[in-house]
């Protein structure tokens, strides 16, 4: 309980109430020496005295010990960034011990638990042992189930389903993923049209700015979703050259039209990388090298600054405030060091084995290594 500053709080409350240690001791039925030791952190009150002390000062026990079971958005953001930096600078085990302490402390703070799940999804692969990675993924699933069972915020509950599905997928539990997502992600469900009617309602009330920012945000994520779906379509159509060519041609136009290499280089990089894998699988060296170069272009843009920040542009100029409402603010969910560790080994994919003697391929690898 020293973590909660009970000693400091008793001393502060007593001075605010302008009473002596003797007066407080008399009320509680203890000695003055006991109160003195509490205030100097030499000892702590017996747990049975906490209700009496809280009653005397007319506060809750939580206030007395300095415990706040619910964190603010700012506090959650601060902890997320702190843990993220810890993963870059400390051992995985040390960071997980710290996270587990906070999970127990704020187990009923569901926005915090949700962000912890996002954090762990982004960093579990840093665990050196496969068994430890599995343990973290199981923890994510358990936390998601806890949120779904007890949280009343439907937005958080629907989002943790996705995180639970990701964790199950990483564990190879395809059936569980299908059970979680098959019904809720059907594209023809009426709820998927909700954003249209919400925008119309904002306009009906004359809230043009809200309608504008909300529509921009939906358009922004619809574009990213399109690029992400196309990346998946490439991966499952890798043996169909015509489909791969047409998919790459169409999505390349989308990326250029919305300037995604600057706006959201991470998603553009993922698509171009998959395009390169598809062309490599079909022995098209020219296109493989072309899209690997675009992949590195995206990474150079993504990692050009020490801090990776979500951002809009002149077209998406009303989405910044919405980003701040997501719980982790404007910073990307993974830090720069963690991303670099992944990209450095990305060209070791066996799909690129036939490029080893290509001069241009060596130049691409050098470009990638020079990103630091």
């Amino acid at each position: 309980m020293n973590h909660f500053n009970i000693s400091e709080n008793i001393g502060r409350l007593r001075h605010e109430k302008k009473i002596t240690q003797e007066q407080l001791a008399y009320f509680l039925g203890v000695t003055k020496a006991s109160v003195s030791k509490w205030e100097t952190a030499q000892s702590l009150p017996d747990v049975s005295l906490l209700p009496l002390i809280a009653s005397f000062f007319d506060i809750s026990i939580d206030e007395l010990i300095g415990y706040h079971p619910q964190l603010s958005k700012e506090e959650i953001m601060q902890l997320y960034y702190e843990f993220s930096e810890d993963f870059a600078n400390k051992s995985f085990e040390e960071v997980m011990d710290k996270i587990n302490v906070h999970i127990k402390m704020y187990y009923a703070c569901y926005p915090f638990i949700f962000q912890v799940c996002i954090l762990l999804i982004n960093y579990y692969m840093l665990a050196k042992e496969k068994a430890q990675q599995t343990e973290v993924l199981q923890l994510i699933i358990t936390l998601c189930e806890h949120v779904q069972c007890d949280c009343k915020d439907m937005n958080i509950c629907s989002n943790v389903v996705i995180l639970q599905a990701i964790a199950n997928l990483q564990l190879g539990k395809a059936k569980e993923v299908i059970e979680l997502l098959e019904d809720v992600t059907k594209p023809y469900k009426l709820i998927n049209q909700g954003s249209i009617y919400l925008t119309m309602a904002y306009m009906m009330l004359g809230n043009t700015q809200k309608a504008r920012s909300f529509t921009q945000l939906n358009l922004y994520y619809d574009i990213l979703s399109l690029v992400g779906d196309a990346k998946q379509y490439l991966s499952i159509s890798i043996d169909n050259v015509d489909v791969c060519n047409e998919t790459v041609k169409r999505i390349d136009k989308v990326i250029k039209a919305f300037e995604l290499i600057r706006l959201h280089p991470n998603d553009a990089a993922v698509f171009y990388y998959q395009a390169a894998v598809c062309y490599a699988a079909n022995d098209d060296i020219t296109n493989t090298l072309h899209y690997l170069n675009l992949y590195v272009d995206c990474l150079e843009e993504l990692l050009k600054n020490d801090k990776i920040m979500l951002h809009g542009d002149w077209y998406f100029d009303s989405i910044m405030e919405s980003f701040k409402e997501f719980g982790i603010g404007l910073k990307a969910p993974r830090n720069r060091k963690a991303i670099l560790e992944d990209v450095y080994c990305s060209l070791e994919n066996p799909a690129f084995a036939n490029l080893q003697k290509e001069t241009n391929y060596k130049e691409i690898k050098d470009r990638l290594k020079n990103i630091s």
Side-chain angles (χ1 to χ4, degrees), residues 280-315:
N282 289 285
D283 297 320
D284 186 339
I285 293 178
T286 300
N287 272 318
T288 302
L289 293 172
H290 173 68
Y291 286 103
L292 282 178
N293 266 307
L294 287 175
Y295 166 66
V296 178
D297 287 346
C298 295
L299 295 176
E300 287 176 340
E301 178 68 25
L302 177 67
L303 300 166
K304 66 182 181 181
N305 298 315
D306 289 338
K307 293 183 178 180
I308 302 172
M309 307 290 287
L310 297 173
H311 60 85
D313 60 10
W314 73 269
Y315 184 77

Side-chain angles (χ1 to χ4, degrees), residues 116-122 124 133-146 160 163-164 166-167:
V116 165
C117 290
I118 293 177
L119 178 86
L120 295 180
I121 282 289
N122 281 289
Y124 80 92
Q133 292 183 7
T134 299
E135 183 179 335
V136 176
L137 289 169
Q138 291 288 3
L139 173 61
I140 294 169
I141 293 170
T142 299
L143 291 175
C144 288
E145 290 172 346
H146 160 59
V160 296
L163 299 179
Q164 187 177 350
I166 294 171

Side-chain angles (χ1 to χ4, degrees), residues 227-271:
V227 173
D229 286 342
K231 178 261 179 186
Q232 291 298 106
Y233 194 45
L234 279 179
S235 68
I236 63 177
S237 305
I238 198 166
D239 295 329
N240 190 325
V241 177
D242 291 337
V243 170
C244 287
N245 281 330
E246 190 63 22
T247 303
V248 171
K249 183 178 74 173
R250 295 187 185 197
I251 299 302
D252 193 38
K253 289 179 181 179
V254 172
I255 289 174
K256 289 174 180 175
F258 287 95
E259 302 180 3
L260 289 190
I261 292 180
R262 288 192 301 105
L263 180 65
H264 206 288
N266 182 71
D267 280 27
V270 170
F271 178 79

Side-chain angles (χ1 to χ4, degrees), residues 1-19:
M1 291 174 62
N2 279 327
H3 174 79
F4 302 120
N5 298 320
I6 187 171
S7 300
E8 178 184 325
N9 288 342
I10 290 176
R12 175 181 55 79
L13 290 164
R14 183 177 61 77
H15 283 103
E16 288 176 358
K17 204 170 181 68
K18 297 180 180 179
I19 62 167

